Every structure is written in structure tokens, then in C-alpha cells.
Amino acid sequence: MEQITGALIGIALVLSAVFVPMSFMEGSVGIIYRQFSVTIVAAMTLSVAVAIVLTPALCATILRKPVTRQGVAPRATAGFFGWFNRGFDRFQSGYQTRVAGLLHRTGRCMVIYGLLIVGIFCLGRTLPTSFLPDEDQGIMSIMVQLPPGAAMEDTLRVAKEVENYLMEDEKDTVRDCISVLGFSFAGRGQNGAILFVNLREWFERTEKHQAVSALVTRCRERFASITLARLYPSQPPSILELGNASGFDLQLQDVGGIGHEKLLEARNILLGLAAQNPNLMAVRPNGLEDQPQMRVTIDREKAGALGLNLAEVNAALGVVWGSAYTDDFLDRGRVKKVYVQGDASFRMIPEDMDNWHFRNDRGQMVPFSAFATSKWEYASTQLNRYNGLPAMELIGSPAPGQSTGDAMLEMEEMIRNLPPGLGYEWTALSYQERQSGSQTLLLYSLSLLVIFLCLAGLYESWSVPFSVILVVPFGVLGALLAVFLRGFHNDVYFQVGILATIGLSAKNAILIVEFAKDMFDQGVSLSRATVTAARLRLRPILMTSLAFLLGIMPLVFSSGAGSGAQNALGTGIMGGTIFATALGLFYIPVFFVVVMAFFSFKWIKKQEKQDA
């Protein structure tokens, strides 16, 4: 306990320093980070308290070796434990020899270390980015959009065709579905509908083709042949409150006052460019298209000359073409409402308006055509604004093999080629993704700074913390490689895994550096103290790393609900743990020797100048 207590305190400080800054992040990313931060810091604090207070007593009570007649506890030489002890002794001896050899080649080791740092930056730039991994939540939606003016019967026919496909051809995946006519995420109208699809339970969907992502892909291919309507299958976002579908969500804004027509033209140009981009898929407007509308223009001067009251004319038009509540009546004990409206046969076509007459102040009936004209025009049925500016919403998905971060960059590049006067804003999940990306560098920098200050205060040295922090890139490299090989993205859960890997890498370094520094302070040579510390701390480093690695393996291979986040988190930690342990065992002694030799040389040169 005299040897290990300082290391335990250092490990607790480092892991807390890594995760505490996470709790101060803002937005939905901060909410996710905060859960990990509070959980891990609380567990680590309790674990260290148990290790310092209770574990020594448990060791003294439980770890009692059998004693022979000579009073010496025998070491296992037979069976599995004997085989393990002999193998570990050979490994430990070879490890000590290799570390001693590397300490004589520190320059070559640092060159290789520099190349690994370059590899980390290159791999980090090529790794696709996203906000959260897609999750199979057992539900999906299909938005149906017919041309403006389409009848409800056409919408119903398309919805029935989609239902038949889902309940017959996809019956092994789909449990049930429901269609809502006249409503969709794009808006309300008889030419729109939406289907909510409920998939079967997880134990019934064991094949890959039964996943929601595979079903969405098949639905896109199947519904592409429907010419009467456009259908957009999509799975919900990982966080249901942040949007209606996974992918990206963009608001194209009129920042220069170019008007609705120019904004619509620019949107159509952007949709055309997106359709030709191989990195994008299913890019579409999320709103109702412009529809033909009849504009009625009332000549106020003629109406006044004819003795008409404009307020009464407007009210009469509202009653005729819309409806108006007038009274209640009793029907078998129940109160029912009375609504007045023009008869359907007299309000079917625009010419019917000329058949309506309005009473003037002299009691005469004046035809509508005497003081009003009408014409057809195309106009928007919605007033779409974002942050106070006229806007049109576009949503879409990245192509297979691409990430949402890549898709967002492609959209931004295409927007730059549009006419001037246009801007854009990311919203929903896309906004959170950009916010998380801007906070990542700050989070990593703050965590490393707090680690450095904690170690500097613990060891009362500005040099020793460098030998601990230098090993962190190995864990980052392992996490990047593991995520890249499994085809995952740089998302929020991967960033949490990076922070956990930073703490694990620092933990391994502390175990060696703590003991080596104590021996060096007692007068042992730097190389001998480092080699001895590496040999004596080999077993606890391997033991804790293997325990940590085995503990996160269920996350790596998990399936079912929430498996996307679990795979992303577990894979990054797995790769980081393997690399931080495998490379750190050999490089931690090198870093300690290089740092101590460098600072000792600087201190000696400073003393010589002062003496002179």
C-alpha cells in the first residue's frame, strides 16, 4: 500500500479530470456527456475509496497461502497455474530485456512516435463524422406526397398500395401499420398522407434484412416505380425529439430579400444538384409545394358607389365558401351546432361566384361580378420562416457508406454555387452535430490541461506529467483504427470512448512512472529505475487492462435496442485499450527516460550558468 497508494490517487484524479469537464458542455450533447461524467466519476471515487480502505483488510484476510512444515508458502509449479506462472515469467523476462534495449534507442523510438502522431491526424481527418449512430427502434414512417390538387381518392389509393406491400411482402418484418390521410410532416392537405409502421419484436427479427435500415432501403426501391406520388421512407432519429427522420436537416434562407420566386428557383436548382451527387440520397423539400389559388380582387370604389359594405361582403364570402356557426339546437336531448354554408352545387367552379348577389344599403341585390374580379395564380400554402427569415426546409440522407457529416459538407459546397442573396442554417440533429463538433476540441484540450495540472500537483513536478500525457495518442490511435475498420463514424459516443481511453492510457503510465520516480529519487540510476518499475508493474497493468477490455466486450458485440450507441462506444474503447496497453508498455519507459533526461539536462545547464 505504501507503493500503490500514490498511484491510486493519481489514477482517480486523472479519470476524474478527464470526465468532469464533460459535465459543463451545453445543449443536447452536454446532456449526453453529463450522464457519462457523473456516473464514471462517482464510480471511480467509490472504487478508489474501497481500494484504499477496504481492499488491504480483505487481502490480509483472504489471501492466505498454505504453509508447509518448513514454514514456506510453495509457489504453484503444476497444473494450469504452474503453466501460467512459467509462461508469464518468460514473458516478463523478455519484456524487461526489450525495454532495456529500447532505452538505448530512444531517438529511433521518438521518430516512430512522431510518425504515429502524423498517422493519427491523417486518420482523424478521413474518419466520417456524425452526431449519433442510427438506432433500430422498431418503427419507421413513410411520407406520401401527391401533386398539388390531387384528390383524396388518389391519396387513399396510394396509401392502400403501400399498406398491401408492407403487410404482405414484408410480413416477416412488419407487424402492423396505420395510414393518416390529409396530414404529413410536410404539412396538411388532401394530397398528402403519412404511414406509421411498427416492426416485429426483436426476437422475431434476427436476420440482417429485417433491420429497419434494410427495410427503408427496400421500400425506396419498391416505391420508386409509383409515378402517381412521391414516397419517402425514413427511420426516426436516435433522439425522437430532435427531428422527424434521420439524416440531415437544412433551412435554405432568403437573406438578401430576393423574394419567394427566386428562393423557390434556387431550391429547385439545389435539389437538382443533390440528385446528381453520388454522396447524397433522398434529398427532398419538407413542405407543401406551391398550389394554384384564385385571387379575388374587390374594387373598393365600385363597391362604395354601389352602396356595399366591405365588411358585410367579406363576411358573406366567408359564409358561402367556408362556413359559419350560427346557433345550437336540441336533438333527442343533445345540443348540436348549426353551421351555414353555400350549397355545394353553387360553389364548385370559379364561375359560380358570379351567380352570388350581395344586398346593398338600399336593399338592392348586386351581383358579385359588378365590383370584383378573379384570376388564377400559383402561391405558397405555407408561410415558412426560420430565425425570422423566409426559408425552405430540405431534408435528406447520406448515400450508403457515407456519413451525415460528409453529406452536410456536400450540401454546403453546392449552396456556395447558388445565386447571391441566399443563406442556410442547420437545424434539428444537424445543428446538434455541428455544435458537438465545435465543442470536441475544447473538451479534449480542457481534459488534457486538467490532467496535467493534477499530475503536476500530485508529483510536485512540471516534468513528470509530460511522460504520462505522451502515451495518450496510442489510445487515440487504437480507437480511431477500431472504429474505422468497423465502418463506424466519429460521433458523440465515440468521443466519450476517446475520453475513457485517455484515462486508461494515463492509468498505465502512472503505474510505471510513480514507481520509477520513487526509485530515481532514492538514488537509483534513471535507466535501472525505469526498467525495474516496468518489470514490477507489468502484471497489474495487464490485469487491469484485460479486466477493462473484457468488461466492455458485451458493448462491442451487442445487438438489439440501443446497439448502435453500444457498438460505437465499445469499439472505440476496445481499440484504444489494446493499443494503449500494447504500445504503452514499451513506450512509457522511453517517455519517462527522455523527459527526465531532458529536464535534468536543462536543470544542470541552468545550475552551471548560475555558478558561473
Side-chain angles (χ1 to χ4, degrees), residues 20 125 470 480 485 503 591:
V20 165
R125 292 179 64 89
L470 285 174
L480 289 172
L485 293 176
F591 292 149

Side-chain angles (χ1 to χ4, degrees), residues 575-591:
T577 301
I578 294 174
F579 268 67
T581 304
L583 297 179
L585 283 174
F586 298 97
Y587 264 89
I588 292 171
V590 173
F591 292 149

Side-chain angles (χ1 to χ4, degrees), residues 221-235:
E221 296 173 353
R222 169 64 176 78
F223 301 150
S225 60
I226 299 179
T227 59
L228 184 60
R230 290 178 296 178
L231 292 93
Y232 305 108
S234 61
Q235 65 184 97

Side-chain angles (χ1 to χ4, degrees), residues 10 33 50 87 102 138 154 156 168 188 217 274 295 337 363 400 464 473 482 502 512 518 521 533 572 588 599:
Y33 282 162
V50 170
L102 291 177
D154 296 332
L156 178 60
E168 295 178 5
R188 301 187 178 211
T217 302
R295 176 178 292 275
K337 297 181 180 297
V464 174
I502 291 175
I512 295 178
D518 290 342
D521 292 341
I588 292 171
F599 279 93

